[in-house]
Amino acid sequence: MPRKQIVAVVGRPNVGKSTLFNALAGKRISIVEDTPGVTRDRIYQDVEWLGKVFTLIDTGGIEPDSKDVILSQMRQQAEIAIETADVIVFLCDLKQGVTDADAQVADMLRRSGKPVVLTVNKVDSFKRDSLDVYEFYNLGIGDPIPISAANMQGIGDMLEEVVKHFPDETATEDEEDDDNIKVAIIGKPNVGKSSIINKLIGENRLIVSDVAGTTRDAIDTEITHNKQKYTFIDTAGIRRHNKIKEHLEQYMLVRTVSAVERADVCVVVISAEEGVTEQDAKIAGIAHDNGKAVIIAVNKWDLIEKDNHSVNDFTKKVRQTLSFMPYAEILFVSAQTGQRLVKLYDMIDAVYQNHSMRVATGVLNEILMQALVMQQPPSDRGRVLKVFYMTQVAVKPPTFVIFVNDKKLMHFSYTRYIENQVRAAFGFAGTPLKFLIRERKGDNSIKGNHK
């Protein structure tokens, strides 16, 4: 299955990037109920257009220092988009016309060789404003597409142009790749991601290659360990980009999105020296939002002065800061000494199995029936929640549908209670579980499954 394409929006302040982002994100596809988590900056959003799903990156959220001028802000956005996006939407403002900054950024984008969709926003009347739109042909990066993000006009034409640049969906990845467990090593800069990969490869290096379709300057490393093939997706190759150094953190978040999209398992690397930070939470949150299996590798553990409580104390801090992913496995390692790194393979195998696990409907409903007996479903103003039955509809992550008489009565805490019962029965360590609540009129419960 081809990976999701990444589309970035670039443009001057106040040309309507956020309005466009919100208009497109308004069409967001999500089969998942809202779950409480940490507040994370929403710099990306999955968007669907005519059956094609892509990830939209909002470079507008990447703010320069206040002393930066508009042009340097746009250049930084363009650099990030050029590095990470498959297609770039260059947004201009009809009311302001073509500016010097637009012309210089257009030049950068043209030289990058990336597909660019030139979009002119704030076109209130397509007839009246057509001559003004022609002015943007002077930028030399193709036909300008007129839109009004605020009025949702012309957006379909723009998206049609964007998806034209996507690869043919019938083209699949190498057959050999199908058995590989794809592992993204993610984390802040300088926590030791590359060192971990290099240590894991060790003498087992079989092929180090650029695999077609990989993100810019992330090298996919293929390796076989105990007859299992792995593809390690490294997001670390960023130090060469001196231009982007001051925006390293935001750039890392954008890069992380593209690596996570392609992975089965995400290893979130945290520095034991620095402790677990809000930035770690943002990066881990990307894996969580994408429903990936997660291992938290606490690196540089050899550098910490330890006593009998060190592991427990650090684990508590990780659980606290990453409270939205209590399912994640934690491993204390050292890339420097190789301490416990070989255990990472076993853990990757285990969480991958859990991420792909299917549970028979009959067995699931036995667990559900016991759960309903142990804790009665909630009621509201005399109306009682009836839970009819549950079935698993997907894997990666395991996704379950629970059929009830009234969705409004299915409180989040009761869904969480059922999740805990499912986890107690089947483990599912390292993987998030998704629960979808569907209404079913009439009592169509599985025999013997009441309430």
Side-chain angles (χ1 to χ4, degrees):
M1 194 177 134
R3 68 174 178 86
K4 258 184 250 171
Q5 296 288 286
I6 290 182
V7 177
V9 183
V10 170
R12 278 182 293 115
N14 306 319
V15 292
K17 291 194 299 292
S18 297
T19 312
L20 179 62
F21 186 77
N22 293 336
L24 293 172
K27 298 177 183 294
R28 66 175 292 188
I29 51 155
S30 178
I31 54 164
V32 188
E33 313 294 315
D34 282 345
T35 51
V38 295
T39 313
R40 294 188 288 282
D41 298 341
R42 175 59 74 189
I43 58 156
Y44 65 98
Q45 178 65 60
D46 280 357
V47 174
E48 182 179 24
W49 176 252
L50 300 179
K52 291 179 192 263
V53 180
F54 60 90
T55 300
L56 183 72
I57 300 282
D58 181 17
T59 60
I62 298 162
E63 292 300 332
D65 303 334
S66 53
K67 64 177 184 290
D68 278 5
V69 293
I70 286 169
L71 178 58
S72 72
Q73 173 179 357
M74 283 180 70
R75 276 192 181 137
Q76 280 148 2
Q77 285 178 16
E79 280 159 7
I80 290 169
I82 288 165
E83 287 295 333
T84 55
D86 298 292
V87 182
I88 297 164
V89 173
F90 182 28
L91 197 62
C92 299
D93 181 343
L94 180 88
K95 304 279 187 274
Q96 294 177 358
V98 176
T99 67
D100 285 349
D102 288 331
Q104 290 192 42
V105 170
D107 201 36
M108 276 176 72
L109 295 175
R110 190 170 51 249
R111 285 199 308 268
S112 75
K114 287 284 175 74
V116 177
V117 176
L118 175 59
T119 307
V120 182
N121 192 21
K122 305 185 187 177
V123 179
D124 299 328
S125 162
F126 283 33
K127 259 187 190 166
R128 190 192 67 222
D129 296 330
S130 60
L131 282 174
D132 292 335
V133 171
Y134 287 146
E135 183 196 350
F136 290 86
Y137 273 103
N138 293 328
L139 291 172
I141 48 172
D143 301 340
I145 296 172
I147 69 162
S148 169
N151 301 329
M152 296 288 289
Q153 286 180 302
I155 287 180
D157 293 342
M158 182 199 80
L159 288 174
E160 211 164 290
E161 197 55 40
V162 166
V163 300
K164 272 185 198 168
H165 296 291
F166 291 179
D168 180 4
E169 286 189 359
T170 56
T172 53
E173 292 178 25
D174 289 346
E175 287 298 314
E176 300 174 309
D177 214 27
D178 289 352
D179 298 334
N180 288 20
I181 298 177
K182 295 175 191 64
V183 185
I185 308 286
I186 62 176
K188 292 184 307 190
N190 306 320
V191 289
K193 298 186 293 295
S194 291
S195 310
I196 285 177
I197 290 181
N198 290 339
K199 205 75 171 181
L200 285 170
I201 293 166
E203 296 308 306
N204 300 324
R205 181 187 294 266
L206 290 183
I207 317 162
V208 177
S209 60
D210 283 349
V211 177
T214 61
T215 39
R216 257 54 55 195
D217 105 305
I219 303 294
D220 282 13
T221 307
E222 297 186 2
I223 175 175
T224 302
H225 177 79
N226 288 347
K227 296 184 181 172
Q228 171 62 55
K229 288 181 181 173
Y230 303 86
T231 300
F232 285 103
I233 303 163
D234 179 14
T235 56
I238 183 179
R239 286 178 293 277
R240 296 194 293 279
H241 297 279
N242 296 326
K243 295 177 286 190
I244 305 177
K245 271 207 168 155
E246 64 265 45
H247 293 277
L248 208 56
E249 285 191 359
Q250 293 93 327
Y251 180 64
M252 202 68 219
L253 284 178
V254 176
R255 285 285 303 282
T256 300
V257 174
S258 52
V260 166
E261 290 279 2
R262 296 170 46 231
D264 300 307
V265 178
C266 293
V267 177
V268 183
V269 184
I270 289 173
S271 162
E273 284 185 304
E274 285 180 55
V276 58
T277 66
E278 195 52 45
Q279 187 71 4
D280 295 320
K282 282 181 187 171
I283 287 169
I286 294 169
H288 174 75
D289 287 348
N290 280 276
K292 303 297 181 177
V294 177
I295 296 165
I296 295 153
V298 181
N299 189 25
K300 309 184 185 180
W301 193 239
D302 56 312
L303 303 178
I304 301 298
E305 281 189 33
K306 290 175 277 291
D307 58 30
N308 295 339
H309 307 291
S310 300
V311 168
N312 280 345
D313 291 348
F314 203 98
T315 300
K316 267 183 203 160
K317 282 175 191 157
V318 170
R319 293 290 181 214
Q320 211 173 348
T321 309
L322 308 184
S323 59
F324 54 92
M325 47 165 58
Y327 55 84
E329 292 281 53
I330 301 177
L331 188 64
F332 292 84
V333 301
S334 165
Q336 194 65 41
T337 66
Q339 183 186 15
R340 273 189 292 276
L341 265 188
V342 76
K343 284 190 179 170
L344 197 52
Y345 282 115
D346 295 339
M347 205 175 257
I348 288 167
D349 293 346
V351 302
Y352 178 75
Q353 292 302 324
N354 291 338
H355 200 228
S356 317
M357 194 196 298
R358 277 193 188 275
V359 181
T361 301
V363 183
L364 263 183
N365 284 287
E366 279 176 33
I367 301 301
L368 180 62
M369 211 160 49
Q370 287 169 15
L372 296 174
V373 169
M374 288 193 296
Q375 191 170 318
Q376 293 293 307
S379 59
D380 185 29
R381 295 175 194 153
R383 190 159 160 68
V384 180
L385 172 72
K386 283 185 179 174
V387 181
F388 298 131
Y389 71 100
M390 172 164 60
T391 186
Q392 186 174 352
V393 292
V395 294
K396 293 185 176 184
T399 304
F400 305 89
V401 174
I402 301 175
F403 290 95
V404 299
N405 62 333
D406 187 346
K407 275 169 75 168
K408 292 190 192 80
L409 294 171
M410 187 69 168
H411 191 266
F412 168 77
S413 60
Y414 201 71
T415 309
R416 175 55 58 89
Y417 161 69
I418 291 174
E419 175 179 344
N420 290 341
Q421 299 308 306
V422 170
R423 284 189 182 278
F426 305 107
F428 282 120
T431 179
L433 302 181
K434 298 280 162 70
F435 287 86
L436 314 176
I437 312 303
R438 296 280 180 266
E439 278 182 13
R440 172 153 287 190
K441 302 301 173 194
D443 190 341
N444 297 337
S445 57
I446 285 177
K447 193 176 176 189
N449 181 13
H450 303 299
K451 293 222 168 176

